[in-house]
């Protein structure tokens, strides 16, 4: 057997920090202090102001002047005022004036009046280039990129010469459409018309290439520009951040800061911060915010909108609270994007109370804010509150969208309410709602968890009808459902229907075959995956290893872990969670320690679920002390980890320690579940605490836990062992479920201890009726007769065992020798060193017999001496 070698694996380092802005360490993050203190108020000079609310309109009193009218439109931000000026223009005959009409278009664009702008443009008799640019800009404001591009095509057919200021708008359209080829054609026109030297056009090209995913082209444009301004640098920094190259963005920020004539501004910093936040570098985004403040820049709404997702990712309520206070002080609570960002921070941190306060007082009640709150309640397990908000949307006149329905369906499934998830899906169909890939991808896991092949096939049929069966997200869910139901041919067909197979879909199929114990097909599937241009990743290996663990192939699972590392793949937190049960089942404490050491190096040990698995592993490997040590290191213990420690005490027969741990759990406010009660009742059995056991059993009703057959079995075992078999039988008769072989076996074992042959025979009769071919049942009955001295019945029972040719399962044991595990079975001769082992065993037997004979002789001599002494005195 090969050592796991978890300590020896090396992995690529993090990219080096660019100069001159030196990157940070985790310790730097811990000491980062954001400067969100309230600024000191300073006296401000006061100036006289016009009392008339319509300050622009007094300029129109008098004879009409198109220049004055156009000037006023430039600074107009009010739709009401804008329409008054439009009326003024109509009254004075300025409607044919291209200059005034272009200003009117821009005014309607600023005020968000698309229809009015289109109507005005359509009625324009003379359209100059500025008018075309203005109407295209209006469409851009509404993300109507296709319509805007059609206008540009129409412009090309006009007898109008293009100027440089057209191209920044057109390039924005290409960015919105993600049409890189059209963007390249526009680039060609720019070169042909010699506008490339224009700094505005160059900046727009950098932005277009960056947003279309062509970072190298953006860099080429940047390096070819004859002059660069702050916008040029910011465009390149944003392009790097947008394409995930956050360290390059940081490097360009450093280079920009070293220039003599230019320096980073708030847009530069915001781009880098947003890049880190959007690419999952949450800690780094917070540190960059602190560095920005140290450089003398205060965050604006855009910066805060970028950094709030990082706070949400870190689930840091304290950071979120600081930014919340800053937003409040600077009057940003009217910004719906920031308010929704705050909702998300509190939601992800589990502080739904604070989220509800913001939602109730400041949030714009729209479908986005409602969806954020509904998802928050679902993630935190408050299903009833999520459903209340869902119903409340319609009462407030807000129509829920497909995202709302998908969130509810997925939330029910995540909270193990699978029937409710399916019911909600049917309700969506009843109201005529659309179904997309996310809907089916959310409802199919409910079918999978229930093992409902019929319902899963119904969803497959819906996917085919709607043309969604080729979607990778739906395909993955279908493959998992069919594999869970052991329908591998159907899984293969669902897999083949996916047009663009990604790694996730391949992983679902490979994991499914491993789950169904079709290990011979795994190598073929891996080869096919590589031929498809995809390399197996950590998730692929996790699925294969999990399949071996599920099918009790623990030794192979450990070997696969070693192979995974040989392939230069680093085991993640899920790998550790999968492999630890294999160590537990094999009771291989040395390899369990290696896995534990790896989890410590990766920082997984403090994770509550990994910690609980390690506690369970050490308990099953026989080290309760190590289990207690690991349990004390879990950062945020929950009921799962507490149950693991309670079960460990029960496994080791430490009844009093288990009961004490249960008392401590109740004092700490944990709400026990069925697993908790099963473990503590087992502790009561080992401690012989009958009264305590009865009290705990009655306590289950207080926590709304319905006793299962396993709980009744523990109580029967407790009563039987303590010499109360009659009370145990009474409990069996009161059970709401039929007793199984385990409960009759517990009663029979208790009757052997108490010597109650009559009840023991009754239990044995029930036991043999349920399991007539189980040799252990007859052995228990034979032991009952032996303890009671009923030799004839004992002989009859043994004769029955012999007549039925029943054999007791041989005992099995194993030892670890370095990296090897040696397994021994009674009367086994398969070990490669059998002769040497039996030779040593024979030698030991001879020594034992010799010592036994010596002790017998000494005892006889002693007894002889005692007899002589007694004869003298009697």
């Amino acid at each position: 057997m090969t050592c796991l070698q978890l300590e020896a694996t090396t992995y690529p380092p993090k990219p080096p920090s660019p100069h001159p802005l030196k990157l940070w360490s985790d310790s730097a993050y811990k000491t980062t202090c954001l400067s969100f203190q309230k600024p000191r108020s300073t006296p401000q000079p006061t100036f006289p102001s016009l009392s008339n609310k319509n300050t622009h309109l007094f300029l129109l009193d008098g004879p009409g002047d198109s220049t004055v009218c156009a000037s006023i439109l430039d600074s107009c931000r009010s739709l009401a005022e804008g329409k008054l000026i439009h009326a003024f223009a109509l009254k004075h005959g300025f409607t044919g004036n291209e200059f005034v009409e272009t200003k009117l278009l821009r005014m309607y664009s600023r005020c968000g009046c698309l229809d009015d702008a289109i109507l005005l443009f359509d009625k324009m008799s003379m359209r100059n280039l500025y008018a075309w640019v203005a109407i295209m800009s209006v469409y851009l404001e509404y993300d109507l990129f296709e319509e805007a591009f059609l206008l540009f095509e129409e412009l090309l057919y006009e007898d109008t010469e293009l100027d440089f200021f057209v191209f920044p708008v057109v390039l924005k359209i290409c960015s919105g459409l993600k049409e890189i080829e059209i963007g390249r054609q526009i680039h060609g026109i720019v070169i042909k018309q010699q506008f490339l030297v224009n700094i505005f056009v160059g900046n727009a090209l950098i932005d277009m290439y960056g947003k279309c995913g062509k970072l190298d082209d953006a860099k080429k444009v940047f390096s070819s520009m004859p002059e660069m301004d702050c916008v040029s640098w910011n465009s390149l920094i944003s392009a790097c951040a947008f394409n995930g190259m956050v360290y390059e963005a940081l490097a360009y920020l450093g280079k920009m800061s070293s220039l003599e004539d230019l320096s980073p501004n708030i847009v530069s910093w915001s781009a880098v911060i947003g890049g880190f936040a959007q690419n999952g570098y949450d800690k780094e985004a917070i540190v960059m915010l602190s560095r920005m403040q140290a450089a003398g820049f205060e965050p604006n709404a855009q910066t805060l909108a970028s950094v709030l997702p990082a706070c949400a990712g870190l689930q840091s309520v304290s950071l979120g609270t600081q930014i919340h206070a800053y937003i409040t002080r600077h009057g940003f609570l009217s910004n719906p994007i920031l308010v929704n960002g705050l909702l998300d921070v509190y939601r992800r941190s589990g502080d739904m109370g604070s989220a509800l306060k913001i939602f109730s007082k400041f949030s714009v009640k729209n479908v986005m804010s409602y969806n954020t709150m509904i998802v928050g309640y679902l993630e935190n397990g408050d299903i009833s509150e999520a459903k209340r908000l869902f119903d409340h949307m319609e009462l407030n006149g807000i129509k829920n969208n497909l995202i709302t329905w998908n969130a509810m369906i997925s939330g029910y499934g995540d909270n193990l309410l699978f029937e409710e998830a399916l019911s909600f899906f049917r309700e969506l169909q009843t109201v005529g709602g659309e179904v997309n890939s996310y809907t089916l991808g959310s409802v199919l896991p409910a079918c999978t968890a229930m093992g409902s092949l019929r319902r899963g096939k119904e969803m497959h049929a819906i996917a085919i009808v709607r043309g969604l069966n080729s979607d990778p997200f739906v395909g993955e869910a279908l493959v998992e459902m069919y594999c869970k139901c052991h329908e591998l041919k159907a899984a293969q067909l669902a897999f083949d229907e996916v047009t663009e197979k990604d790694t996730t879909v391949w992983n679902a199929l490979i994991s499914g075959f491993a789950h169904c114990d079709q290990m011979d097909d795994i190598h073929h599937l891996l080869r096919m995956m590589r031929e498809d241009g995809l390399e197996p990743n950590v998730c692929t290996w996790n699925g294969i290893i999990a399949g071996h663990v599920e099918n009790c192939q623990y030794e192979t699972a450990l070997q696969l872990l070693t192979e995974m590392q040989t392939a230069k793949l680093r085991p993640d937190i899920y790998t550790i969670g999968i492999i630890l049960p294999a160590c537990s089942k094999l009771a291989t404490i040395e390899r369990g320690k290696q896995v534990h050491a790896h989890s410590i190096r990766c920082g997984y040990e403090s994770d509550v679920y990994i910690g609980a698995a390690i506690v369970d592993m050490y308990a099953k490997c026989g080290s309760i002390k190590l289990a207690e040590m690991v349990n004390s290191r879990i950062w945020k213990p929950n009921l799962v980890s507490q149950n693991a420690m309670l079960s460990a005490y029960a496994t080791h027969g430490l009844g009093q320690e288990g009961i004490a741990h249960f008392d401590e759990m109740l004092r700490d406010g944990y709400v026990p579940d069925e697993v908790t009660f099963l473990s503590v009742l087992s502790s009561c059995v080992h401690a012989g605490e009958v009264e305590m056991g009865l009290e705990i059993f009655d306590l289950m009703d207080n926590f709304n836990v319905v006793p299962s057959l396993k709980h009744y079995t523990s109580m029967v075992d407790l009563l039987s062992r303590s010499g109360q078999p009659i009370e145990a039988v009474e409990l069996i008769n009161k059970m709401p479920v039929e007793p199984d072989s385990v409960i009759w076996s517990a009663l029979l074992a208790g009757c052997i201890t108490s010597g109650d042959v009559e009840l023991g025979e009754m239990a044995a009769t029930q036991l043999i009726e349920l399991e007539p071919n189980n040799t252990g049942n007859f052995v228990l009955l034979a032991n009952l007769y032996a303890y009671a001295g009923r030799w004839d019945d004992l002989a009859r029972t043994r004769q029955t065992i012999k007549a039925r040719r029943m054999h007791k399962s041989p005992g099995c044991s194993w030892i670890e020798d370095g990296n090897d595990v040696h397994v021994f079975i009674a009367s086994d001769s398969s070990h490669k060193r059998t002769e040497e082992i039996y030779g040593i065993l024979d030698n030991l037997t001879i020594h034992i017999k010799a010592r036994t004979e010596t002790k017998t002789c000494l005892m006889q001599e002693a007894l002889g001496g005692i007899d002589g002494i007694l004869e003298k005195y009697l």
Side-chain angles (χ1 to χ4, degrees):
M1 188 178 301
T2 309
C3 179
L4 298 184
Q5 297 181 349
L6 285 166
E7 296 84 0
T9 309
T10 58
Y11 304 100
K14 204 172 185 178
S17 307
H19 185 76
L21 288 177
K22 189 176 180 182
L23 256 176
W24 45 86
S25 63
D26 284 345
S27 60
Y29 164 68
K30 293 175 183 176
T31 57
T32 298
C33 181
L34 299 179
S35 303
F36 284 132
Q37 290 83 8
K38 185 175 180 179
R40 294 180 180 177
S41 59
T42 55
Q44 299 293 329
T46 58
F47 300 97
S49 60
L50 293 170
S51 58
N52 188 349
K53 291 199 295 184
N54 298 325
T55 54
H56 294 112
L57 302 185
F58 80 96
L59 295 172
L60 298 178
D61 296 335
D65 186 331
S66 62
T67 307
V68 173
C69 184
S71 175
I72 295 170
L73 283 168
D74 256 344
S75 56
C76 180
R77 296 292 185 275
S78 165
L79 178 61
E81 289 185 12
K83 288 194 172 184
L84 285 172
I85 300 168
H86 192 174
F88 176 85
L90 289 169
K91 179 180 176 181
H92 289 81
F94 297 151
T95 50
N97 187 306
E98 294 178 351
F99 187 54
V100 172
E101 287 184 327
T102 302
K103 297 292 184 181
L104 279 168
L105 276 176
R106 290 181 175 177
M107 180 275 296
Y108 281 123
S109 172
R110 285 194 299 272
C111 296
C113 294
L114 176 64
D115 294 336
D116 290 322
I118 294 172
L119 184 62
L120 175 62
F121 182 77
D122 289 341
K123 288 183 177 181
M124 288 176 68
S125 56
M126 298 291 292
R127 299 167 179 169
N128 62 15
L129 201 54
Y130 295 99
W132 284 97
V133 171
I135 191 63
M136 285 191 289
S137 300
V138 173
Y139 278 106
L140 277 176
E141 289 288 329
Y142 286 84
D143 293 339
L144 299 172
F145 304 113
E146 291 184 9
E147 291 83 349
F149 189 74
L150 288 173
L151 279 171
F152 174 66
E153 286 185 322
E154 190 178 338
L155 171 62
L156 292 177
Y157 287 106
E158 295 285 326
D159 188 20
T160 305
E161 186 178 350
L162 299 181
D163 206 340
F164 76 91
F165 59 83
V166 177
F167 293 100
V169 177
V170 178
L171 288 166
K172 277 188 180 180
I173 296 171
C174 297
S175 301
L177 291 171
K178 296 291 187 290
E179 287 287 352
I180 184 62
E181 291 308 318
I182 296 176
R184 290 189 195 281
Q185 292 178 40
I186 302 299
H187 191 175
I189 296 173
V190 166
I191 294 171
K192 185 178 180 181
Q193 299 200 7
Q194 297 182 354
F195 290 138
L196 194 60
V197 294
N198 185 283
I199 195 166
F200 301 104
V201 177
N203 294 343
L205 278 168
I206 295 170
D207 183 67
M208 183 275 295
Y209 279 123
K211 287 179 179 173
C212 289
K214 299 296 178 181
L215 184 57
D216 288 339
D217 290 322
K219 291 177 184 176
K220 287 177 184 176
V221 174
F222 178 81
S223 60
S224 66
M225 290 175 67
E227 64 170 316
M228 305 161 195
D229 61 3
C230 201
V231 177
S232 311
W233 282 91
N234 290 346
S235 298
L236 186 60
I237 290 169
S238 297
C240 292
F242 183 83
N243 287 278
M245 307 303 291
V246 289
Y247 290 99
E248 276 196 56
L250 188 61
Y252 280 114
L253 184 71
K255 289 178 182 177
M256 188 179 178
S257 65
S258 64
L259 298 175
E260 293 182 2
D261 53 341
L262 288 175
S263 60
N265 58 15
I266 192 166
V267 177
S268 320
W269 285 96
S270 296
V272 175
I273 292 169
F276 277 114
Q278 290 162 14
N279 289 282
Y281 295 87
D282 298 325
K283 290 182 180 179
E284 289 84 347
I286 300 299
V287 174
M288 285 303 298
L289 178 63
S290 176
R291 291 167 68 89
M292 185 188 87
Q293 290 181 296
F297 295 99
E298 285 300 316
N300 59 14
Q302 180 188 351
T303 318
L304 295 170
S306 299
V307 84
L308 280 170
C311 297
L314 292 170
Q315 298 181 7
S316 174
V317 177
S318 59
L319 281 172
T321 304
Q322 288 183 56
I323 295 178
H324 184 182
Y326 183 88
I327 289 171
T328 303
R329 287 197 305 272
H330 288 77
F332 290 143
L333 280 173
S334 59
N335 187 317
I337 296 175
L338 294 182
V339 172
N340 274 335
L342 282 172
L343 285 180
D344 197 49
V345 170
Y346 287 121
R347 168 186 73 83
R348 296 279 294 276
S349 303
D351 187 0
M352 290 307 297
S354 297
L356 182 60
K357 288 178 183 177
I358 295 175
F359 176 75
S360 303
K361 292 182 180 180
F362 305 108
S363 177
V364 177
K365 302 300 186 294
N366 56 22
V367 68
M368 185 184 295
S369 58
Y370 266 99
N371 286 348
T372 303
M373 290 298 295
I374 286 171
V375 170
Y377 281 120
L378 290 169
E379 286 179 345
N380 288 280
D382 196 343
I383 311 298
S384 58
E385 192 62 26
K387 182 63 168 64
R388 186 190 68 79
L389 275 180
F390 180 86
D391 296 335
H392 200 258
M393 289 177 72
E394 189 174 351
L395 297 175
N396 278 359
I398 298 170
K399 185 174 176 58
N400 45 48
N401 59 13
L402 189 53
I403 296 173
T404 322
W405 285 93
N406 288 347
M408 290 298 296
I409 293 168
S410 177
Y412 276 122
D414 292 341
N415 286 279
L416 310 182
L417 300 170
F418 307 119
E419 283 289 356
E420 289 82 352
L422 289 166
S423 175
F424 227 80
F425 176 76
R426 286 191 291 269
E427 187 179 342
L428 171 62
Q429 290 183 297
T430 304
V431 299
E434 286 294 320
V435 173
N436 64 9
S437 58
Y438 294 101
T439 318
L440 291 173
S442 298
V443 76
L444 274 166
C447 304
T448 305
M450 296 170 68
S452 178
L453 180 61
R454 179 182 61 81
R455 290 174 176 175
K457 286 182 175 180
E458 288 176 10
M459 300 304 154
H460 193 175
I462 293 170
I464 292 171
V465 169
R466 295 182 179 271
L468 296 171
N469 55 316
S470 60
D471 183 271
F473 187 57
V474 176
E476 177 199 351
L478 283 168
V479 168
E480 287 179 353
M481 183 273 296
Y482 281 122
C483 288
K484 178 68 181 293
C485 297
H486 292 267
E487 293 283 341
L488 292 182
K489 287 184 178 179
Q492 185 71 61
L493 289 172
F495 174 81
D496 293 338
E497 289 172 358
V498 180
T499 51
E500 295 183 7
K501 301 175 182 67
D502 57 13
T503 307
T504 308
V505 181
W506 273 103
N507 287 349
L509 186 68
I510 292 169
S511 175
F513 270 74
H515 167 75
C516 295
D517 202 15
Q518 300 299 308
M519 304 306 175
D520 294 337
D521 296 314
I522 298 297
H523 291 292
H524 170 70
L525 290 174
L526 288 172
R527 187 174 66 254
M528 294 286 291
M529 182 181 181
R530 290 188 176 96
E531 289 175 0
D532 207 19
L534 299 169
E535 280 297 318
N537 58 13
V538 175
C539 295
T540 317
W541 284 90
N542 286 350
I544 298 170
I545 295 171
H548 283 81
V549 174
E550 288 170 14
N551 290 286
C552 305
Q553 299 178 29
Y554 308 119
E555 195 64 55
T556 310
L558 289 169
Q559 290 172 1
L560 284 169
L561 179 62
T562 303
E563 289 180 27
M564 175 183 174
Q565 293 179 284
T566 305
K568 303 299 180 185
L569 290 172
R570 180 178 186 172
D572 62 10
I573 192 168
Y574 300 103
T575 320
I576 302 303
I578 291 165
I579 206 68
L580 279 168
C583 300
S584 301
K585 294 291 184 181
L586 290 172
T588 54
I589 194 167
E590 289 305 318
R591 282 181 290 183
K593 284 180 178 179
Q594 292 178 37
V595 177
H596 182 193
H598 178 78
S599 71
I600 292 172
R601 286 195 303 275
C602 295
Y604 301 151
E605 185 196 28
S606 59
D607 179 84
V608 63
Y609 297 102
I610 295 298
I614 296 173
V615 168
D616 181 70
M617 181 271 295
Y618 279 128
K620 289 176 179 174
C621 290
S623 179
I624 192 68
K625 288 185 178 179
L626 288 175
E628 288 176 326
M629 179 197 72
V630 173
N631 183 63
S632 66
R633 291 182 179 178
I634 296 175
W635 183 38
K636 290 183 179 179
N638 62 6
L639 188 61
V640 174
S641 62
Q642 295 294 333
N643 284 348
M645 196 64 235
L646 189 59
S647 176
Y649 285 128
T651 302
H652 282 256
L654 301 173
Q656 294 297 343
E657 288 84 348
I659 294 169
H661 186 74
F662 177 73
D663 287 338
E664 187 178 348
M665 285 174 64
L666 294 181
R667 284 196 303 272
D668 290 342
Y670 289 100
V671 179
D673 61 3
E674 57 274 7
V675 177
T676 317
F677 281 107
L678 187 61
S679 297
V680 73
L681 286 174
S682 179
S683 294
C684 291
V685 171
H686 289 295
E689 292 283 354
V690 180
E691 294 301 322
M692 178 65 73
L694 290 169
E695 184 180 336
I696 291 172
F697 188 76
D698 292 336
L699 191 64
M700 293 177 70
D701 187 54
N702 294 358
F703 292 97
N704 298 318
V705 178
V706 179
S708 67
L709 190 59
K710 290 182 178 180
H711 296 100
Y712 281 108
T713 302
S714 292
M715 288 306 299
V716 168
D717 194 19
L718 175 61
L719 292 168
S720 301
R721 288 193 187 197
S722 60
Q724 302 180 45
I726 296 173
E727 288 80 356
V729 173
E730 289 176 355
L731 181 61
I732 292 173
N733 293 332
K734 291 178 182 177
M735 281 168 42
V737 291
E738 288 295 319
D740 64 354
S741 58
V742 180
I743 205 165
W744 289 119
S745 179
L747 178 62
L748 178 55
C751 291
I752 292 172
T753 305
S754 61
D756 194 324
V757 178
E758 184 179 350
L759 281 179
E761 285 181 322
M762 184 271 291
T765 302
Q766 297 290 338
L767 189 56
I768 292 169
E769 185 178 331
L770 290 170
E771 296 179 343
N773 298 318
N774 189 338
T775 311
N777 299 335
F778 289 94
V779 172
L780 279 175
L781 181 60
N783 290 341
L784 175 69
Y785 290 137
Y787 272 91
R790 292 171 54 169
W791 310 116
D792 292 341
D793 293 323
L794 172 62
R796 189 182 72 252
T797 304
R798 286 184 173 174
Q799 185 61 36
T800 302
I801 295 172
K802 187 176 181 181
R804 295 190 180 188
R805 295 182 179 180
M806 302 174 81
H807 299 283
K808 190 176 179 182
S809 299
C812 176
S813 61
W814 61 91
I815 59 170
E816 282 187 83
D817 178 24
N819 295 318
D820 295 327
V821 176
H822 300 275
V823 181
F824 303 97
I825 298 173
S827 303
D828 183 25
S829 60
S830 61
H831 197 278
K832 61 183 179 181
R833 298 173 66 182
T834 297
E835 292 185 8
E836 184 181 351
I837 291 168
Y838 277 105
I840 292 173
L841 184 62
D842 291 340
N843 192 22
L844 287 171
T845 304
I846 292 169
H847 281 288
I848 291 169
K849 283 183 178 180
R851 288 203 172 193
T852 303
E853 289 172 0
T854 303
K855 286 184 178 180
T856 303
C857 293
L858 291 172
M859 184 66 71
Q860 287 175 349
E861 290 177 6
L863 288 173
I866 291 170
D867 289 341
I869 293 170
L870 289 174
E871 285 177 3
K872 290 181 180 179
Y873 284 94
L874 293 176

